Structures are given as structure tokens and as C-alpha cells.
Amino acid sequence: MSLGHSNVTIEAPDSGEIGQGEPCAALDPVQIQSGCRTVSEVLSRVGDKWSILIVMILASGPRRFNELKRLVDGISQRMLTLTLRNLERDGLVQRTVTPSIPPRVDYALTPLGHSLRVPVSALGEWVMANITTIKDARERFDEELQQRDRLG
Amino acid sequence: MSLGHSNVTIEAPDSGEIGQGEPCAALDPVQIQSGCRTVSEVLSRVGDKWSILIVMILASGPRRFNELKRLVDGISQRMLTLTLRNLERDGLVQRTVTPSIPPRVDYALTPLGHSLRVPVSALGEWVMANITTIKDARERFDEELQQRDRLG
DNA sequence: CGGTATCCGAATGGATACTG
DNA sequence: CAGTATCCATTCGGATACCG
């Protein structure tokens, strides 16, 4: 049923329900556990290979399925469907079917989806602001690792 | 070599190098591709199961390896090592070895690591502010799905 | 104490073929 | 056009055993 076997999150064995909790206060580990778990779970949706990309593209307006497929470049039909389903499930994306022939399906950001862009953009700007530092750190780390490998 | 076979990111076949790009402007799809790919890549580090949790715990001060292992709860030694290595590689965490007997290793957030907390907290607050909406959306989605399954 | 090495099941995700 | 279903390779990640 549904879509093959693996689904980004949909169809997960109904464990891992979201619990309430406080934001990560960086103080009490217990607080961090309860709050961060929740945050992590949503973050992993945002952090997956395609989600933000699609959210950012939909930010400029609604798109049809194959339109998205062309725009995203490299995404398989499977992953596009799966990603859109999960975004829809979380209430970030609205799916609208127009039962014409051929059928027409539009995907648009919900208000919630739009509001997500604010913190995601902030994170995006942090990345862009620090990408050079990160790249340099990686290079130095990898070099030092190779040094050790050469020596033994 | 290194750590078994699978590493969160370390040891990846040296393809996927980070490229420069603009922040996701939600305008030109090409811009979105180049910028968001980079953002995605770092986001997937932040979005993985353990990274933020560890960053948030380290925010309150340096910790030793087994101390972290106890605090994180549920993490395997393998994943703790892997996650810490990658955080170190990205320059977010500083690893300090004190060659005593028994050996002592401390992990601390770098200034870069601390600066990451700002946008991550913002995202965390967005999640906490909207978690109810998301939960409700999921419930409605899953219910409607079951309805359709029952009917055929 | 702070890791590494190895084994192996589970999840991820691309390619392809088929459908209303 | 907008998906589903199936197959299959790759990757992830826990459990366990061992090491300096």
C-alpha cells in the first residue's frame, strides 16, 4: 500500500509521537531531552535532502507536480511525492486537485509553511556567513587526519 | 580504518564539496539550487538525530566523553563518537586530550559552535510555537487517510 | 577511560515499469 | 499529468568484542 516500502516519515510504525516540552534552554539535561527531541524531529524534516529546497521554491508561488520535478533537478519522482506528502502532513504545504483531463495538482505553501521560512532563512544566513570557516575547518581536519595516517 | 564502515559524513567519497552561493532568495531557482544545497548540507548535520542535542548540552559547558554518553540517553558509543567527530570536523566542537592515566578527553563548543545556537534556537522556538498546529495537521491527515483506506 | 573494528539487520532512496 | 508498485543497491546505525 501507499508508496513502495520506505517513506520519509509517513507510515512510520506509530511509535515516536510528539511530546510537549520547553525549548532547549541549555541548562537542565532533562529539559533538553524533552524539548530537543521534538525540535530534532521537525528539524530532521527540514534538514532532509529536499524539503527546504521545495519550501523555498514554493515560496515564490504555487507549482504543479512536474513543474516542481523539473525545478528541483536531481529529485526522483518517488522522493518528490514522498517529500510533498510529508510537508502536506505537517500542514506546511497545501495540495489542491483539479479533476480535469489531464488532472492538475497544485502545491502551495500554507501560512504555516511561509512562517517557517523566517527561521530557516536565519539558519541559511548563518550557514552562508560561516561557510568559509566551516570549509577551512574541514580541510584542516582532513589534512591532519591524513598526516596521522601517513605516519601510522 | 577509522570507524567501521559507515560514518555520518566523515569518510564520504570525496565528492560533494561545498560550493559558494547566495542565501535562498526564493526567486531564481538556480540561485535556490546553489545556495540551498550548501544550506541543506549543513542543515542535515544539524538535523541529524544527535547533533543539536549535543550542541545544546555542550552549551552549558565542556563535558567528557562518558559524561556526554550518560547525558544524551539512548545514544550508542558509536554514534556519539561519529557525531562528535563530525562536529569537530566542522569546527563546531573542540576536542581536548589530557594524556593522564586514565586518559581524559573534553569536548567543548567553539565560538562558531556557540554562534550556531542563535539560529538553531530560533528554529527551536518556531517548532515549540507551532508544535500544536503541526500535531493537529498530522492527526487530521492520518485520519483522512484512514477514512479513504476503509472506503477503498 | 575513550575509543576502534566487525558483524549484520533496518531504513533510505534511485531506477524502472505500470495505472487512472 | 500525477502518481503507485516493485526491485534492488547503498547507507545507517545498534550490538558486541577488543585495545592502548
Side-chain angles (χ1 to χ4, degrees):
Chain A
M1 70 168 74
S2 207
L3 259 170
H5 56 105
S6 103
N7 308 318
V8 175
T9 275
I10 264 185
E11 297 290 283
D14 207 54
S15 53
E17 193 45 53
I18 294 183
Q20 214 65 292
E22 298 304 308
C24 309
L27 289 169
D28 179 13
V30 181
Q31 291 258 336
I32 294 175
Q33 300 291 340
S34 65
C36 273
R37 296 288 186 188
T38 309
V39 175
S40 287
E41 206 225 338
V42 177
L43 228 63
S44 70
R45 165 87 357 91
V46 165
D48 77 41
K49 207 179 174 187
W50 307 111
S51 289
I52 354 133
L53 211 51
I54 290 174
V55 168
M56 287 306 171
I57 288 174
L58 289 180
S60 61
R63 301 281 186 176
R64 300 180 61 174
F65 185 85
N66 279 328
E67 201 176 355
L68 279 172
K69 196 179 167 209
R70 276 189 301 278
L71 284 172
V72 174
D73 168 74
I75 196 171
S76 64
Q77 194 164 29
R78 183 182 139 74
M79 288 317 291
L80 181 55
T81 305
L82 245 33
T83 306
L84 285 170
R85 279 293 170 281
N86 279 290
L87 290 174
E88 189 194 355
R89 189 172 103 103
D90 286 359
L92 299 169
V93 158
Q94 166 86 22
R95 179 171 178 271
T96 312
V97 184
T98 310
S100 52
I101 297 179
R104 178 195 179 97
V105 180
D106 286 279
Y107 292 92
L109 242 46
T110 61
L112 186 66
H114 276 289
S115 78
L116 176 60
R117 287 172 52 211
V118 178
V120 166
S121 290
L123 200 47
E125 271 161 44
W126 181 92
V127 172
M128 299 317 294
N130 295 285
I131 189 63
T132 307
T133 310
I134 294 176
K135 276 184 61 174
D136 288 355
R138 288 184 184 178
E139 246 171 73
R140 270 194 305 119
F141 185 93
D142 293 347
E143 267 173 35
E144 284 173 22
L145 204 76
Q146 284 196 334
Q147 291 295 327
R148 265 178 265 288
D149 279 0
R150 268 196 288 275
L151 297 175
Chain B
M1 70 170 78
S2 206
L3 257 169
H5 56 104
S6 103
N7 307 319
V8 176
T9 276
I10 263 185
E11 298 289 282
D14 206 55
S15 52
E17 192 45 52
I18 295 185
Q20 213 65 293
E22 298 304 307
C24 309
L27 290 169
D28 179 13
V30 181
Q31 292 258 333
I32 294 176
Q33 301 290 341
S34 66
C36 273
R37 296 287 186 189
T38 309
V39 175
S40 287
E41 205 223 339
V42 177
L43 228 63
S44 71
R45 165 89 355 92
V46 166
D48 77 40
K49 206 179 176 188
W50 308 110
S51 290
I52 353 133
L53 212 50
I54 290 175
V55 167
M56 287 307 171
I57 288 174
L58 289 181
S60 61
R63 300 283 186 176
R64 299 180 60 174
F65 185 86
N66 279 329
E67 201 175 356
L68 279 172
K69 196 179 168 208
R70 276 190 302 276
L71 284 171
V72 173
D73 168 74
I75 196 170
S76 64
Q77 193 164 30
R78 183 181 141 75
M79 287 318 290
L80 181 55
T81 306
L82 246 32
T83 306
L84 286 171
R85 279 294 170 280
N86 279 288
L87 290 173
E88 189 193 357
R89 188 171 105 103
D90 286 359
L92 299 169
V93 159
Q94 168 85 21
R95 180 172 177 269
T96 312
V97 184
T98 309
S100 53
I101 297 180
R104 177 195 179 95
V105 180
D106 285 280
Y107 292 91
L109 242 45
T110 62
L112 186 66
H114 275 289
S115 78
L116 176 61
R117 289 172 50 212
V118 178
V120 166
S121 291
L123 200 48
E125 271 161 45
W126 180 92
V127 172
M128 300 316 296
N130 294 285
I131 190 64
T132 308
T133 310
I134 294 176
K135 276 183 62 174
D136 288 356
R138 288 184 184 179
E139 245 171 74
R140 270 195 304 120
F141 184 93
D142 294 346
E143 267 174 34
E144 285 174 22
L145 205 76
Q146 285 196 334
Q147 291 296 327
R148 264 178 265 288
D149 280 358
R150 268 195 288 277
L151 297 176

